[in-house]
CSV table of all heavy atoms in Angstrom, one decimal:
chain,number,residue,atom,x,y,z
A,1,ALA,N,-0.1,17.2,-1.0
A,1,ALA,CA,-0.5,17.7,-2.3
A,1,ALA,C,0.5,18.7,-2.8
A,1,ALA,O,0.5,19.0,-4.0
A,1,ALA,CB,-1.9,18.2,-2.2
A,2,LEU,N,1.2,19.4,-2.0
A,2,LEU,CA,2.2,20.4,-2.4
A,2,LEU,C,3.3,19.8,-3.3
A,2,LEU,O,3.9,20.4,-4.1
A,2,LEU,CB,2.8,21.1,-1.2
A,2,LEU,CG,1.9,21.9,-0.4
A,2,LEU,CD1,2.7,22.4,0.9
A,2,LEU,CD2,1.3,23.1,-1.2
A,3,HIS,N,3.6,18.5,-3.0
A,3,HIS,CA,4.8,18.0,-3.7
A,3,HIS,C,4.6,16.5,-4.1
A,3,HIS,O,5.6,15.8,-4.4
A,3,HIS,CB,6.0,18.1,-2.8
A,3,HIS,CG,5.8,17.5,-1.4
A,3,HIS,ND1,5.8,16.2,-1.1
A,3,HIS,CD2,5.6,18.1,-0.2
A,3,HIS,CE1,5.6,16.0,0.2
A,3,HIS,NE2,5.4,17.2,0.7
A,4,LEU,N,3.4,16.0,-4.2
A,4,LEU,CA,3.3,14.6,-4.6
A,4,LEU,C,2.1,14.4,-5.6
A,4,LEU,O,1.0,14.6,-5.2
A,4,LEU,CB,3.0,13.7,-3.4
A,4,LEU,CG,2.9,12.2,-3.7
A,4,LEU,CD1,4.2,11.6,-4.1
A,4,LEU,CD2,2.4,11.5,-2.4
A,5,PRO,N,2.4,14.2,-6.9
A,5,PRO,CA,1.4,13.9,-7.8
A,5,PRO,C,0.7,12.6,-7.5
A,5,PRO,O,1.3,11.6,-7.3
A,5,PRO,CB,2.1,13.8,-9.2
A,5,PRO,CG,3.5,13.5,-8.8
A,5,PRO,CD,3.8,14.1,-7.5
A,6,GLU,N,-0.7,12.7,-7.4
A,6,GLU,CA,-1.4,11.5,-7.0
A,6,GLU,C,-1.8,10.5,-8.1
A,6,GLU,O,-2.0,9.3,-7.8
A,6,GLU,CB,-2.7,12.0,-6.3
A,6,GLU,CG,-2.4,12.9,-5.0
A,6,GLU,CD,-1.8,12.0,-3.9
A,6,GLU,OE1,-1.9,10.8,-3.9
A,6,GLU,OE2,-1.3,12.6,-3.0
A,7,ALA,N,-2.0,11.0,-9.3
A,7,ALA,CA,-2.6,10.2,-10.4
A,7,ALA,C,-1.7,9.0,-10.6
A,7,ALA,O,-0.5,9.0,-10.8
A,7,ALA,CB,-2.7,11.0,-11.6
A,8,ASP,N,-2.4,7.8,-10.6
A,8,ASP,CA,-1.7,6.5,-11.0
A,8,ASP,C,-0.7,6.0,-10.0
A,8,ASP,O,-0.2,4.9,-10.3
A,8,ASP,CB,-1.1,6.6,-12.4
A,8,ASP,CG,-2.1,7.0,-13.5
A,8,ASP,OD1,-3.3,6.6,-13.3
A,8,ASP,OD2,-1.7,7.7,-14.4
A,9,ILE,N,-0.4,6.7,-8.9
A,9,ILE,CA,0.6,6.2,-8.0
A,9,ILE,C,0.2,5.0,-7.3
A,9,ILE,O,0.9,4.0,-7.2
A,9,ILE,CB,1.0,7.3,-7.0
A,9,ILE,CG1,1.7,8.5,-7.7
A,9,ILE,CG2,1.9,6.8,-5.9
A,9,ILE,CD1,2.1,9.6,-6.8
A,10,ASP,N,-1.0,4.9,-6.8
A,10,ASP,CA,-1.5,3.7,-6.1
A,10,ASP,C,-1.4,2.5,-7.0
A,10,ASP,O,-1.0,1.4,-6.5
A,10,ASP,CB,-2.9,3.9,-5.6
A,10,ASP,CG,-3.0,4.9,-4.4
A,10,ASP,OD1,-1.9,5.3,-3.9
A,10,ASP,OD2,-4.1,5.2,-3.9
A,11,SER,N,-1.9,2.6,-8.2
A,11,SER,CA,-1.9,1.4,-9.1
A,11,SER,C,-0.5,1.0,-9.4
A,11,SER,O,-0.2,-0.2,-9.5
A,11,SER,CB,-2.7,1.7,-10.4
A,11,SER,OG,-2.1,2.8,-11.1
A,12,ALA,N,0.4,2.0,-9.5
A,12,ALA,CA,1.8,1.6,-9.8
A,12,ALA,C,2.5,1.0,-8.6
A,12,ALA,O,3.3,0.0,-8.8
A,12,ALA,CB,2.6,2.9,-10.2
A,13,VAL,N,2.1,1.4,-7.4
A,13,VAL,CA,2.7,0.8,-6.2
A,13,VAL,C,2.2,-0.7,-6.1
A,13,VAL,O,2.9,-1.6,-5.8
A,13,VAL,CB,2.3,1.6,-4.9
A,13,VAL,CG1,2.6,0.8,-3.7
A,13,VAL,CG2,3.0,2.9,-4.9
A,14,LEU,N,0.9,-0.9,-6.3
A,14,LEU,CA,0.3,-2.2,-6.3
A,14,LEU,C,1.0,-3.1,-7.3
A,14,LEU,O,1.3,-4.3,-7.1
A,14,LEU,CB,-1.2,-2.2,-6.5
A,14,LEU,CG,-2.0,-1.6,-5.4
A,14,LEU,CD1,-3.5,-1.4,-5.9
A,14,LEU,CD2,-2.0,-2.4,-4.2
A,15,ALA,N,1.2,-2.6,-8.5
A,15,ALA,CA,1.9,-3.4,-9.6
A,15,ALA,C,3.3,-3.7,-9.2
A,15,ALA,O,3.7,-4.9,-9.4
A,15,ALA,CB,1.9,-2.6,-10.9
A,16,ALA,N,4.0,-2.8,-8.6
A,16,ALA,CA,5.4,-3.1,-8.1
A,16,ALA,C,5.4,-4.1,-7.1
A,16,ALA,O,6.4,-4.9,-7.0
A,16,ALA,CB,6.0,-1.8,-7.6
A,17,ALA,N,4.4,-4.2,-6.2
A,17,ALA,CA,4.4,-5.2,-5.1
A,17,ALA,C,4.0,-6.5,-5.6
A,17,ALA,O,4.5,-7.6,-5.0
A,17,ALA,CB,3.4,-4.7,-4.0
A,18,GLY,N,3.2,-6.6,-6.6
A,18,GLY,CA,2.7,-7.9,-7.1
A,18,GLY,C,1.4,-8.3,-6.5
A,18,GLY,O,0.9,-7.6,-5.6
A,19,GLU,N,0.8,-9.3,-7.0
A,19,GLU,CA,-0.6,-9.7,-6.6
A,19,GLU,C,-0.7,-10.2,-5.2
A,19,GLU,O,-1.8,-10.1,-4.6
A,19,GLU,CB,-1.1,-10.7,-7.6
A,19,GLU,CG,-1.3,-10.2,-9.0
A,19,GLU,CD,-2.4,-9.2,-9.1
A,19,GLU,OE1,-3.4,-9.2,-8.3
A,19,GLU,OE2,-2.3,-8.2,-9.9
A,20,GLY,N,0.4,-10.8,-4.7
A,20,GLY,CA,0.2,-11.4,-3.3
A,20,GLY,C,-0.5,-12.7,-3.5
A,20,GLY,O,-0.3,-13.4,-4.5
A,21,PRO,N,-1.3,-13.2,-2.5
A,21,PRO,CA,-1.5,-12.5,-1.3
A,21,PRO,C,-0.3,-12.5,-0.3
A,21,PRO,O,0.5,-13.4,-0.4
A,21,PRO,CB,-2.7,-13.2,-0.7
A,21,PRO,CG,-2.5,-14.6,-1.2
A,21,PRO,CD,-2.0,-14.5,-2.6
A,22,PHE,N,-0.3,-11.5,0.6
A,22,PHE,CA,0.8,-11.4,1.6
A,22,PHE,C,0.3,-11.8,3.0
A,22,PHE,O,-0.7,-11.3,3.4
A,22,PHE,CB,1.4,-10.0,1.5
A,22,PHE,CG,1.8,-9.6,0.2
A,22,PHE,CD1,1.0,-8.7,-0.6
A,22,PHE,CD2,3.0,-10.0,-0.3
A,22,PHE,CE1,1.4,-8.3,-1.8
A,22,PHE,CE2,3.4,-9.6,-1.6
A,22,PHE,CZ,2.6,-8.7,-2.4
A,23,GLU,N,1.0,-12.7,3.6
A,23,GLU,CA,0.7,-13.1,5.0
A,23,GLU,C,0.9,-11.9,5.9
A,23,GLU,O,0.0,-11.6,6.7
A,23,GLU,CB,1.5,-14.3,5.4
A,23,GLU,CG,1.2,-14.8,6.8
A,23,GLU,CD,-0.2,-15.5,6.8
A,23,GLU,OE1,-0.7,-15.9,5.8
A,23,GLU,OE2,-0.7,-15.6,8.0
A,24,LEU,N,2.0,-11.2,5.9
A,24,LEU,CA,2.3,-10.1,6.7
A,24,LEU,C,2.9,-9.0,5.9
A,24,LEU,O,4.0,-9.2,5.3
A,24,LEU,CB,3.2,-10.5,7.9
A,24,LEU,CG,3.7,-9.3,8.8
A,24,LEU,CD1,2.5,-8.7,9.5
A,24,LEU,CD2,4.7,-9.8,9.8
A,25,MET,N,2.3,-7.8,6.0
A,25,MET,CA,2.9,-6.6,5.4
A,25,MET,C,3.3,-5.7,6.6
A,25,MET,O,2.7,-5.6,7.6
A,25,MET,CB,1.8,-5.9,4.7
A,25,MET,CG,2.2,-4.4,4.2
A,25,MET,SD,0.7,-3.5,3.7
A,25,MET,CE,1.5,-1.9,3.3
A,26,VAL,N,4.5,-5.1,6.4
A,26,VAL,CA,5.0,-4.1,7.4
A,26,VAL,C,5.2,-2.8,6.6
A,26,VAL,O,5.8,-2.7,5.6
A,26,VAL,CB,6.3,-4.6,8.0
A,26,VAL,CG1,6.9,-3.5,8.9
A,26,VAL,CG2,6.1,-5.8,8.9
A,27,ASP,N,4.7,-1.7,7.2
A,27,ASP,CA,4.8,-0.4,6.6
A,27,ASP,C,5.7,0.5,7.5
A,27,ASP,O,5.4,0.7,8.7
A,27,ASP,CB,3.4,0.3,6.5
A,27,ASP,CG,3.5,1.6,5.7
A,27,ASP,OD1,4.4,1.7,4.8
A,27,ASP,OD2,2.7,2.5,5.9
A,28,VAL,N,6.8,0.9,7.0
A,28,VAL,CA,7.8,1.7,7.7
A,28,VAL,C,7.4,3.2,7.6
A,28,VAL,O,7.3,3.8,6.5
A,28,VAL,CB,9.2,1.6,7.1
A,28,VAL,CG1,10.2,2.4,7.9
A,28,VAL,CG2,9.6,0.1,7.2
A,29,GLY,N,7.1,3.9,8.8
A,29,GLY,CA,6.7,5.2,8.8
A,29,GLY,C,5.3,5.3,8.3
A,29,GLY,O,5.0,5.9,7.2
A,30,VAL,N,4.4,4.7,9.0
A,30,VAL,CA,3.0,4.4,8.6
A,30,VAL,C,2.2,5.7,8.2
A,30,VAL,O,1.3,5.7,7.4
A,30,VAL,CB,2.2,3.6,9.6
A,30,VAL,CG1,2.0,4.3,10.9
A,30,VAL,CG2,1.0,3.0,9.0
A,31,GLY,N,2.6,6.8,8.8
A,31,GLY,CA,1.8,8.1,8.6
A,31,GLY,C,0.4,7.9,8.9
A,31,GLY,O,0.0,7.5,10.0
A,32,GLN,N,-0.5,8.2,7.9
A,32,GLN,CA,-1.9,8.1,8.1
A,32,GLN,C,-2.5,6.7,7.8
A,32,GLN,O,-3.7,6.5,7.9
A,32,GLN,CB,-2.7,9.1,7.2
A,32,GLN,CG,-2.4,10.5,7.5
A,32,GLN,CD,-3.2,11.5,6.6
A,32,GLN,OE1,-3.0,11.3,5.3
A,32,GLN,NE2,-4.0,12.4,7.1
A,33,GLY,N,-1.6,5.8,7.5
A,33,GLY,CA,-2.0,4.4,7.2
A,33,GLY,C,-2.4,4.2,5.7
A,33,GLY,O,-3.0,3.2,5.4
A,34,ARG,N,-2.0,5.1,4.9
A,34,ARG,CA,-2.4,5.0,3.5
A,34,ARG,C,-1.9,3.7,2.8
A,34,ARG,O,-2.7,3.1,2.0
A,34,ARG,CB,-1.8,6.2,2.7
A,34,ARG,CG,-2.2,6.3,1.3
A,34,ARG,CD,-1.9,7.7,0.7
A,34,ARG,NE,-2.2,7.7,-0.7
A,34,ARG,CZ,-1.2,7.7,-1.6
A,34,ARG,NH1,0.1,7.6,-1.2
A,34,ARG,NH2,-1.4,7.8,-2.9
A,35,MET,N,-0.7,3.3,3.0
A,35,MET,CA,-0.2,2.1,2.4
A,35,MET,C,-1.0,0.8,2.9
A,35,MET,O,-1.3,-0.1,2.1
A,35,MET,CB,1.3,1.9,2.6
A,35,MET,CG,2.1,2.8,1.8
A,35,MET,SD,2.1,2.5,0.0
A,35,MET,CE,0.9,3.8,-0.5
A,36,ILE,N,-1.3,0.8,4.1
A,36,ILE,CA,-2.0,-0.4,4.7
A,36,ILE,C,-3.4,-0.4,4.1
A,36,ILE,O,-3.9,-1.5,3.7
A,36,ILE,CB,-2.1,-0.3,6.2
A,36,ILE,CG1,-0.7,-0.6,6.8
A,36,ILE,CG2,-3.1,-1.3,6.8
A,36,ILE,CD1,-0.6,-0.5,8.3
A,37,GLN,N,-4.0,0.8,3.9
A,37,GLN,CA,-5.4,0.8,3.3
A,37,GLN,C,-5.3,0.3,1.9
A,37,GLN,O,-6.2,-0.4,1.4
A,37,GLN,CB,-5.9,2.2,3.3
A,37,GLN,CG,-6.3,2.7,4.7
A,37,GLN,CD,-6.8,4.1,4.7
A,37,GLN,OE1,-6.2,5.0,4.0
A,37,GLN,NE2,-7.8,4.5,5.5
A,38,LEU,N,-4.2,0.7,1.2
A,38,LEU,CA,-4.1,0.4,-0.2
A,38,LEU,C,-4.0,-1.2,-0.4
A,38,LEU,O,-4.5,-1.7,-1.4
A,38,LEU,CB,-2.8,1.0,-0.8
A,38,LEU,CG,-2.5,0.8,-2.3
A,38,LEU,CD1,-3.6,1.4,-3.2
A,38,LEU,CD2,-1.1,1.5,-2.6
A,39,PHE,N,-3.3,-1.8,0.5
A,39,PHE,CA,-3.0,-3.3,0.4
A,39,PHE,C,-4.0,-4.1,1.2
A,39,PHE,O,-3.8,-5.3,1.3
A,39,PHE,CB,-1.6,-3.6,0.8
A,39,PHE,CG,-0.6,-3.2,-0.2
A,39,PHE,CD1,0.1,-2.0,-0.1
A,39,PHE,CD2,-0.2,-4.1,-1.2
A,39,PHE,CE1,1.0,-1.7,-1.1
A,39,PHE,CE2,0.8,-3.8,-2.1
A,39,PHE,CZ,1.4,-2.6,-2.1
A,40,ALA,N,-5.1,-3.5,1.7
A,40,ALA,CA,-6.0,-4.2,2.6
A,40,ALA,C,-6.5,-5.5,2.1
A,40,ALA,O,-6.7,-6.5,2.8
A,40,ALA,CB,-7.1,-3.3,3.0
A,41,ASP,N,-6.8,-5.5,0.8
A,41,ASP,CA,-7.4,-6.7,0.2
A,41,ASP,C,-6.3,-7.7,-0.3
A,41,ASP,O,-6.7,-8.7,-0.9
A,41,ASP,CB,-8.4,-6.4,-0.9
A,41,ASP,CG,-7.7,-5.7,-2.1
A,41,ASP,OD1,-6.5,-5.3,-2.0
A,41,ASP,OD2,-8.4,-5.5,-3.1
A,42,ARG,N,-5.1,-7.4,-0.1
A,42,ARG,CA,-4.0,-8.3,-0.5
A,42,ARG,C,-3.2,-8.9,0.6
A,42,ARG,O,-2.3,-9.7,0.4
A,42,ARG,CB,-3.0,-7.6,-1.5
A,42,ARG,CG,-3.7,-7.1,-2.7
A,42,ARG,CD,-2.6,-6.7,-3.7
A,42,ARG,NE,-3.2,-6.1,-4.9
A,42,ARG,CZ,-2.5,-5.8,-6.0
A,42,ARG,NH1,-1.2,-6.0,-6.1
A,42,ARG,NH2,-3.2,-5.3,-7.1
A,43,VAL,N,-3.5,-8.4,1.9
A,43,VAL,CA,-2.7,-8.9,3.0
A,43,VAL,C,-3.7,-9.6,4.0
A,43,VAL,O,-4.8,-9.2,4.2
A,43,VAL,CB,-1.9,-7.8,3.7
A,43,VAL,CG1,-1.0,-7.1,2.7
A,43,VAL,CG2,-2.9,-6.7,4.3
A,44,ARG,N,-3.1,-10.5,4.7
A,44,ARG,CA,-3.9,-11.2,5.8
A,44,ARG,C,-3.7,-10.4,7.1
A,44,ARG,O,-4.6,-10.3,7.9
A,44,ARG,CB,-3.4,-12.6,6.0
A,44,ARG,CG,-4.2,-13.3,7.1
A,44,ARG,CD,-3.8,-14.8,7.2
A,44,ARG,NE,-4.5,-15.5,8.2
A,44,ARG,CZ,-4.3,-16.7,8.5
A,44,ARG,NH1,-3.4,-17.5,7.9
A,44,ARG,NH2,-5.0,-17.3,9.5
A,45,ARG,N,-2.5,-9.8,7.2
A,45,ARG,CA,-2.2,-9.0,8.4
A,45,ARG,C,-1.2,-7.9,8.1
A,45,ARG,O,-0.3,-8.1,7.2
A,45,ARG,CB,-1.6,-10.0,9.5
A,45,ARG,CG,-1.4,-9.3,10.9
A,45,ARG,CD,-1.2,-10.4,11.9
A,45,ARG,NE,-0.1,-11.3,11.6
A,45,ARG,CZ,1.2,-11.1,12.1
A,45,ARG,NH1,1.4,-10.1,12.9
A,45,ARG,NH2,2.1,-11.9,11.8
A,46,ALA,N,-1.4,-6.7,8.7
A,46,ALA,CA,-0.6,-5.6,8.4
A,46,ALA,C,-0.2,-4.9,9.7
A,46,ALA,O,-1.0,-4.7,10.6
A,46,ALA,CB,-1.3,-4.6,7.4
């Protein structure tokens, strides 16, 4: 939160990725798993 504005970022990321669905998603530097959670309903496997 010190350096990342949160508003609208998730929706913009989803829009950039496209609707999918995606058979396999790979997240580089998974951290807390935020990206996998974001795409949970668009991927079959992450």
